[in-house]
Amino acid sequence: MGTAAPTPTLRWTGDSIEIIDQTRLPAELALIDVRDVATAVDAIGRLAIRGAPALGAFGALALIVGLDEAQPGSMDDAVDVLERLRTEIGDARPTAVNLRWAVDRTIDAALGDGAAADVAAVRQRLLDEALAIADEDAQACAEIGRLGREVLAEATVIATHCNAGRLATAGDGTALAAVYAKASCGESVRVLAAESRPLLQGARLTAWELADAGIDVSVVSDGAMASLIVRGDVDAVIVGADRIAANGDTANKVGTLGHALAAAHAGIGFYIAAPTTTIDAAMPSGDRIVIEQRDADEVHHAGGARLTPTGVGAVNPAFDVTPARLITAIITDAGVLRPPYGESIADALAATRCAQPEDDRC
Ligand code: MRU
């Protein structure tokens, strides 16, 4: 494995957020210094920062940037600013549940009990909560990696889609945390990264971060993965998630569903790896999940060049929903969840709440 510590995907500098500009990878490891809300929202919208858990940590930190930028003169003004930011930042992308969840959690921690005496106290509370979210995510990634390694003990050739690694979280990733855990224990592992058209998170980002870590990775065009799975060239498929419904239906990068169908056909394991913060208990099933529709130009172009004839249309859903029945297990920081997911998810969320010391429901 690579020895140099990887550049953090996001980092609080003291008065700004430093992020890797993921639109520039793999050509260039460029950083963006985010010190105003417009830059933060723009970075989310064009996927300079992306991946559900990373969006959560970033959105929470962006609240402090927004408060500093607005410089409210009173507590009432601070409340107004944060309510504006709740929507402006929290709704910058609709499918990844972590973004709005983290923004809500951070604002509620700052204002919820009404005990913050002044704007400086509100800012400190926002910062404490945002840093806690990032820290908890890193811990969740570590636990998912530990459990994922156990689940994938017999798997050597592992397929994945999009990027659910260090670039998508505040830690070692979700799906890729299992890969890192296997590699760090000296287990043989080879990753097949589906390219993930149209924005190529697999080809650009998963390939870059795994190669950087010294892990064997090959890029596979999206259309080729099903045949590789069906002919027996893949031992298991593991991907991340943007939103998991209460019944286990899971939204993830468009193209995931095809890999799940192929895995079911071939009889190999298809795993979701995600922190419990990606579970939306209020979402009964996947058919209600809002799927982000992105600009048609992303389909029309690749690498700056037009691929399609002028005048034709394009449809660009950013995510698809894999039904729970195609998912072998959901690997979370609260354990490996198995069907029936309605029960195992409810139990995991209850156990997570019980782990909070201040919770009086337990
Ligand atoms: O559009 P993106 O790049 O933000 O989509 C990301 C994914 O679909 C990831 O698989 C998901 O967020 C999980 S990241 C641990």
Side-chain angles (χ1 to χ4, degrees):
M1 293 182 69
T3 46
T7 304
T9 295
L10 73 166
R11 185 177 73 86
W12 179 247
T13 67
D15 61 357
S16 66
I17 317 163
E18 188 178 80
I19 60 170
I20 294 177
D21 184 349
Q22 298 191 30
T23 67
R24 310 271 284 273
L25 288 172
E28 187 185 9
L29 179 56
L31 302 177
I32 303 174
D33 187 37
V34 179
R35 41 181 77 242
D36 57 64
V37 172
T39 305
V41 171
D42 178 64
I44 294 171
R46 63 188 183 85
L47 276 53
I49 180 101
R50 42 146 304 279
L55 286 170
F58 178 76
L61 288 170
L63 295 171
I64 298 110
V65 165
L67 194 77
D68 289 351
E69 185 185 14
Q71 297 195 341
S74 67
M75 279 296 286
D76 284 349
D77 288 351
V79 171
D80 288 348
V81 168
L82 290 176
E83 286 310 324
R84 171 174 57 80
L85 296 177
R86 191 192 292 273
T87 313
E88 203 173 336
I89 297 168
D91 293 350
R93 289 189 79 191
T95 306
V97 68
N98 300 63
L99 177 58
R100 183 61 190 254
W101 165 83
V103 165
D104 284 343
R105 171 176 152 175
T106 305
I107 294 175
D108 292 350
L111 302 177
D113 61 2
D118 53 23
V119 177
V122 169
R123 184 187 190 280
Q124 189 58 51
R125 283 169 162 230
L126 291 171
L127 184 57
D128 291 346
E129 198 68 14
L131 294 176
I133 286 171
D135 192 49
E136 289 167 23
D137 184 53
Q139 291 175 38
C141 289
E143 182 63 1
I144 290 167
R146 189 184 72 77
L147 294 171
R149 178 184 156 241
E150 288 176 8
V151 170
L152 298 176
E154 304 300 321
T156 299
V157 181
I158 295 172
T160 191
H161 192 73
C162 194
N163 172 265
R166 289 174 175 154
L167 289 167
T169 64
D172 271 354
T174 58
L176 297 191
V179 170
Y180 289 125
K182 280 177 79 72
S184 71
C185 291
E187 294 172 18
S188 177
V189 60
R190 175 174 183 231
V191 174
L192 299 182
E195 59 181 353
S196 316
R197 271 280 291 155
L199 295 182
L200 301 170
Q201 290 92 330
R204 296 187 303 108
L205 307 179
T206 294
W208 179 82
E209 75 160 81
L210 289 179
D212 189 53
I215 291 174
D216 184 356
V217 56
S218 296
V219 176
V220 173
S221 66
D222 293 333
M225 190 63 91
S227 65
L228 294 180
I229 290 172
V230 168
R231 69 185 230 191
D233 289 351
V234 176
D235 297 324
V237 182
I238 185 166
V239 299
D242 282 82
R243 192 179 294 250
I244 301 172
N247 71 344
D249 293 349
T250 296
N252 191 51
K253 179 54 54 193
V254 67
T256 299
L257 174 58
H259 306 320
L261 288 164
H265 183 81
I268 65 168
F270 176 86
Y271 301 99
I272 299 292
T276 46
T277 53
T278 302
I279 298 172
D280 182 357
M283 181 67 63
S285 58
D287 52 346
R288 309 256 192 101
I289 295 175
V290 174
I291 301 295
E292 178 184 5
Q293 304 294 321
R294 294 186 60 85
D295 199 305
D297 272 351
E298 292 177 350
V299 175
H300 287 309
H301 294 87
R306 174 103 191 183
L307 302 174
T308 55
T310 49
V312 304
V315 182
N316 190 14
F319 302 96
D320 59 26
V321 175
T322 298
R325 68 177 178 281
L326 297 178
I327 299 169
T328 310
I330 302 175
I331 303 163
T332 77
D333 48 310
V336 179
L337 314 186
R338 305 267 177 187
Y341 291 113
E343 288 172 26
S344 57
I345 286 176
D347 289 349
L349 292 180
T352 306
R353 281 194 291 269
C354 289
Q356 308 293 323
E358 71 276 14
D359 194 299
D360 55 8
R361 282 167 289 195
C362 308

